[in-house]
């Protein structure tokens, strides 16, 4: 067998092998799966779907549009303690798809781990909406020439069944990565008019990510309205109701569990894998993966969830990416409903609206907090990463772009954080660049007179200028030299060249351009709220163009 993956703008039917021509039309639109048989051979034993002996917790689900989803996992006893674990991992096994005795596809799946899935498609998919059409539908911002050179795409790693392409599977890995942003670089290259193949590779690889907590009774992602406090925590006392098993015992610490397939999905670094591919193709498998991603980003950290509702919680950046996934899942699901194409295995749009409403009710407290009117933080208290605030503002901007107008007051409030860092009037010198962390209060002091990291004294609030200077007293902050301080006093713009943190300023510029776009499209009252936004755009644009090569995923332009 030879491997065929993404070809001619689409994906070859079948998997790990060449699908015959007959597979291109087999069961393309019929919901009757009685003439489709799946044969799985594992360790010399044969299992048959939909009838015959079956591997425990291995679900072969036949979809209305002809897709066949292969999923390993079980939620266990949802009304009590976890049920005894099922096999968490399937070794390499053969899979064959037949219709009326004709082999449509056959091949070897190298392995399958808990809470992961892959999909057989009888028909290849291709781009059905161009970037211009996607922009016209308000499903993504405009990507184009920013005045700075955009870095080129890296080498493509084609998807293979249960593979990860070149996604960073250990998501907690830090550093500059092509998958961290409102969308990934792969999706951005498509929006810039490039080849969508790498975007599709990552969308297909999303199935391999072990975050598919499926309720086998409904076929849908676990319902967080019915089970709002569910989570996958290992530590006693923190486990949710119900507690979801991530996978087998951790080899290094058997009291804990670990994800399979060398993956470690994490909300704080969770990437957009499925949304843009779904919007571009209409493929319903990508919509299913998007719904699982959005659910995972809520249940993965249930610290703030209560029986009254599941609430997003986590790091500032984690809250940003969870909101991004919820907004994406909601609008993509609404589109599928409007087209009459929502699969029975997906939640309706009102499910995602309910989760968004719960998040909005909780996070609106930041907007109304009288102690938060200088820095205008979203999902942060006392100490914040400006770049993480930019992630939050980006996600909120996307929400407004896609019709979630009820979030406008929160968005406009949070946008003030980026305005203050770039208007040259708040006291924060824009020429300093992108600070890693800033404080809103002075820290307390220890008996020896040193600053007590991690504590703050609310009686000593900082403003933007004193917060900038307080970096001198922050053990984890940069050390400003007196020469740098004097230079920024003389020229807060530093002649249009950021002293530090240019990689952070790329996102700041994107945030301001999104705001400009939303204002011009009458989707947010940006200029009415911040008349100085044009000054901010001028200041950040100058530093942006002087900074060198920029990432594709921040190459957003206005109209």
């Amino acid at each position: 067998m030879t491997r065929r993956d993404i070809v001619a703008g689409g994906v070859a039917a079948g998997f790990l092998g060449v699908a015959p021509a007959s597979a291109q039309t087999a069961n393309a639109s019929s919901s009757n799966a009685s003439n489709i048989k799946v044969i799985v051979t594992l360790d010399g034993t044969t299992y048959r779907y939909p009838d015959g002996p079956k591997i425990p917790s291995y679900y072969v689900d036949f979809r209305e549009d002809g897709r066949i989803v292969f999923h390993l996992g079980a939620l266990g006893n949802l009304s009590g303690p976890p049920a005894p674990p099922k096999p968490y991992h399937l070794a390499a096994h053969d899979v064959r798809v037949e219709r009326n005795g004709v082999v449509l596809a056959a091949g070897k799946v190298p392995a399958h781990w808990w809470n992961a899935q892959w999909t057989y498609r009888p028909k290849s998919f291709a781009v059905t909406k161009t970037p211009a059409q996607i922009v016209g539908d308000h499903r993504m911002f405009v990507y184009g020439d920013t005045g700075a050179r955009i870095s080129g795409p890296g080498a493509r790693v084609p998807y293979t069944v249960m593979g990860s392409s070149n996604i960073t599977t250990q998501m907690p890995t830090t550093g500059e990565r092509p998958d961290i942003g409102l969308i990934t670089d792969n999706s951005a290259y498509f929006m810039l008019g490039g080849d969508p193949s790498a975007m599709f590779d990552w969308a297909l690889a999303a199935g391999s990510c072990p975050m598919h907590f499926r309720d086998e009774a409904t076929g849908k992602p676990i319902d967080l309205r019915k089970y709002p406090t569910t989570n996958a925590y290992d530590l006693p006392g923190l486990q949710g109701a119900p507690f979801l098993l991530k996978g087998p015992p951790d080899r290094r610490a058997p009291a804990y569990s670990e994800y399979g397939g060398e993956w470690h999905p994490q909300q704080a670094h969770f990437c957009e894998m499925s949304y843009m591919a779904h919007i571009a193709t209409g493929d319903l498998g990508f919509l299913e993966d998007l719904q699982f991603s959005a659910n995972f980003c809520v249940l993965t950290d249930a610290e703030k969830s209560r029986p009254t509702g599941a609430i997003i919680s986590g790091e500032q950046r984690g809250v940003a990416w969870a909101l991004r996934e919820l907004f994406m899942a909601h609008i993509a699901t609404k589109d599928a409903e409007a087209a009459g194409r929502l699969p029975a295995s997906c939640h309706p749009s009102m499910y995602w609206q309910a989760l968004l409403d719960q998040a909005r009710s909780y996070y609106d407290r930041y907007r109304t907090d009288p102690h938060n009117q200088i820095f205008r933080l979203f999902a942060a208290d006392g100490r914040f990463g400006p770049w993480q605030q930019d992630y939050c503002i980006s996600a909120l901007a996307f929400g407004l772009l896609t019709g979630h107008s009820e979030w406008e007051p929160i968005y406009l409030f949070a946008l003030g954080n980026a305005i203050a860092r770039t208007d040259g009037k708040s006291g924060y010198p824009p020429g300093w660049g992108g600070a890693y962390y800033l404080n809103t209060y002075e820290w307390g002091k220890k008996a020896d007179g040193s600053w007590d990291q991690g504590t703050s004294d609310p009686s000593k609030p900082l403003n933007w200028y004193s917060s900038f200077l307080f970096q001198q007293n922050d053990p984890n902050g940069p050390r400003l030299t007196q020469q740098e301080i004097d230079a920024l006093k003389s020229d807060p713009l530093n002649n249009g060249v950021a002293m530090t943190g240019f990689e952070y300023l790329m996102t700041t510029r994107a945030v301001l351009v999104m705001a400009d776009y939303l204002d011009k499209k009458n989707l947010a009252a940006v200029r009415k709220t911040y008349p100085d936004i044009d000054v901010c755009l001028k200041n950040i644009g100058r530093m942006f163009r002087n900074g060198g090569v920029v990432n594709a995923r921040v190459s957003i332009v206005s109209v």
Side-chain angles (χ1 to χ4, degrees):
M1 297 181 182
T2 60
R3 298 191 177 198
R4 287 179 60 192
D5 296 288
I6 295 172
V7 292
V11 174
F15 60 100
L16 291 182
V18 178
S22 61
Q24 298 297 316
T25 56
N27 200 28
S29 59
S30 173
S31 61
N32 181 8
S34 61
N35 55 356
I36 295 288
K37 306 293 182 184
V38 172
I39 295 91
V40 178
T41 304
L42 175 65
D43 295 332
T45 301
T46 298
Y47 305 86
R48 297 179 181 275
Y49 298 82
D51 50 14
K54 299 177 177 61
I55 301 170
S57 299
Y58 186 67
Y59 302 97
V60 178
D61 297 323
F62 298 84
R63 295 287 186 259
E64 302 96 315
D65 59 349
R67 289 174 297 115
I68 303 176
V69 176
F70 298 78
H71 175 264
L72 180 66
L75 297 181
N77 182 3
L78 296 181
S79 60
K86 305 289 186 179
Y88 287 115
H89 185 94
L90 298 183
H93 54 282
D94 293 309
V95 175
R96 189 165 76 251
V97 179
E98 297 181 357
R99 183 174 187 176
N100 297 328
V102 177
V103 176
L104 305 181
K108 183 176 288 296
V109 176
H112 198 136
W113 42 88
W114 200 248
N115 295 322
Q117 66 183 37
W118 62 273
T119 301
Y120 163 78
R121 290 169 169 84
K123 295 202 307 181
S124 58
F125 59 76
V127 170
T128 57
K129 282 194 175 182
T130 66
Q133 290 172 321
I134 293 170
V135 168
D137 291 341
H138 286 182
R139 295 299 177 261
M140 187 44 62
F141 290 100
V142 185
Y143 281 74
D145 183 1
T146 62
R149 186 165 67 87
I150 300 172
S151 59
R156 178 189 162 212
V157 177
Y159 165 79
T160 56
V161 170
M162 293 301 298
S164 58
S165 182
N166 54 349
I167 294 175
T168 303
T169 55
Q170 292 296 313
M171 289 187 186
T173 303
T174 58
E176 189 64 23
R177 287 164 38 184
D179 54 353
I180 300 300
L182 179 62
I183 61 176
T184 65
D185 274 352
N186 289 353
S187 295
Y189 288 125
F190 163 69
M191 289 300 295
L192 287 164
D195 186 351
S197 297
M199 176 177 73
F200 293 154
D201 288 324
W202 283 17
L204 291 166
S208 307
C209 186
M211 48 72 185
H212 295 74
F213 292 96
R214 184 193 304 280
D215 184 341
E216 58 270 29
T218 66
K220 296 177 172 63
I222 183 172
D223 192 328
L224 299 184
R225 297 169 302 178
K226 188 175 181 180
Y227 305 106
T229 60
T230 188
N231 66 36
Y233 294 167
D234 286 305
L235 295 177
L238 296 178
Q239 294 178 353
F243 166 59
L244 304 178
L245 295 166
K246 295 197 295 287
D250 191 319
R251 292 158 291 182
R252 295 153 295 189
Y256 297 83
S257 60
E258 65 179 351
Y259 295 103
E262 304 301 324
W263 282 81
H264 189 134
Q266 186 210 32
Q267 180 205 58
H269 295 86
F270 202 84
C271 57
E272 175 272 316
M273 295 181 282
S274 309
Y275 172 75
M276 287 303 305
H278 168 69
I279 294 299
T281 65
D283 182 83
L284 297 177
F286 296 152
L287 177 60
E288 289 190 23
D289 280 323
L290 173 59
Q291 289 208 355
F292 278 108
S293 292
N295 235 31
F296 172 79
C297 284
V298 179
L299 69 84
T300 186
D301 188 332
E303 178 186 354
K304 296 181 175 67
S305 294
R306 299 292 183 269
T308 53
I311 304 296
I312 297 168
S313 56
E315 299 178 42
Q316 301 158 53
R317 51 189 166 184
V319 173
W321 303 146
L323 277 176
R324 176 198 67 199
E325 294 297 299
L326 286 179
F327 284 133
M328 289 178 170
H330 180 243
I331 195 60
T333 301
K334 282 189 70 175
D335 288 346
E337 288 173 337
R341 301 183 64 238
L342 185 67
S345 54
C346 284
H347 284 297
S349 61
M350 64 180 181
Y351 172 82
W352 305 107
Q353 185 67 62
L355 294 181
L356 283 168
D357 287 345
Q358 289 165 189
R360 181 167 55 88
S361 177
Y362 179 86
Y363 282 100
D364 194 49
R365 67 188 62 194
Y366 288 92
R367 179 179 66 87
T368 58
D369 183 353
H371 302 294
N372 190 30
Q373 301 305 306
I374 294 176
F375 293 95
R376 300 199 165 205
L377 301 182
F378 179 81
D381 298 287
R383 180 170 166 80
F384 70 99
W387 50 283
Q388 293 194 42
Q389 287 295 299
D390 285 339
Y391 289 164
C392 292
I393 302 168
S394 297
L396 293 169
F398 175 80
L400 290 187
L401 176 73
T402 50
H404 300 88
S405 58
E406 67 273 18
W407 285 81
E408 183 182 10
I410 295 177
Y411 165 73
L412 289 174
F413 177 80
L415 178 61
N417 186 275
I419 295 290
R421 284 182 275 120
T422 53
D423 64 5
K425 299 178 181 179
S426 68
Y428 183 90
W432 170 241
Y436 187 53
Y437 273 94
L438 292 172
N439 296 283
T440 63
Y441 300 102
E442 285 189 9
W443 288 344
K445 287 189 175 181
K446 299 178 182 178
D448 62 3
S450 63
W451 294 99
D452 185 4
Q453 180 183 357
T455 67
S456 61
D457 186 347
S459 68
K460 297 180 180 179
L462 300 172
N463 57 37
W464 278 102
Y465 182 64
S466 57
S467 179
F468 160 69
L469 290 180
F470 193 77
Q471 293 175 94
Q472 294 283 52
N473 301 312
D474 183 344
N476 287 334
R479 288 295 180 267
L480 297 164
T481 67
Q482 190 60 49
Q483 183 178 8
E484 288 174 329
I485 294 173
D486 292 342
L488 289 170
K489 283 182 179 178
S490 175
D491 177 12
L493 283 174
N494 194 42
N495 199 29
V497 179
M499 281 189 180
T500 186
F502 173 71
E503 65 273 20
Y504 305 137
L505 291 187
M506 290 192 285
T507 306
T508 304
R509 178 202 163 274
V511 161
L512 295 174
V513 173
M514 291 178 203
D516 179 53
Y517 185 82
L518 292 174
D519 184 84
K520 291 176 178 176
K521 292 294 183 179
N522 296 315
L523 296 173
V526 173
R527 280 182 170 77
K528 181 180 178 180
T529 309
Y530 301 106
D532 287 337
I533 187 171
D534 291 308
V535 173
C536 298
L537 286 164
K538 181 179 179 181
N539 290 343
I540 195 70
R542 183 180 174 193
M543 288 186 287
F544 182 81
R545 290 187 295 274
N546 289 333
V549 178
V550 300
N551 299 322
R553 61 189 181 278
V554 297
S555 299
I556 296 173
V557 296
S558 191
V559 291

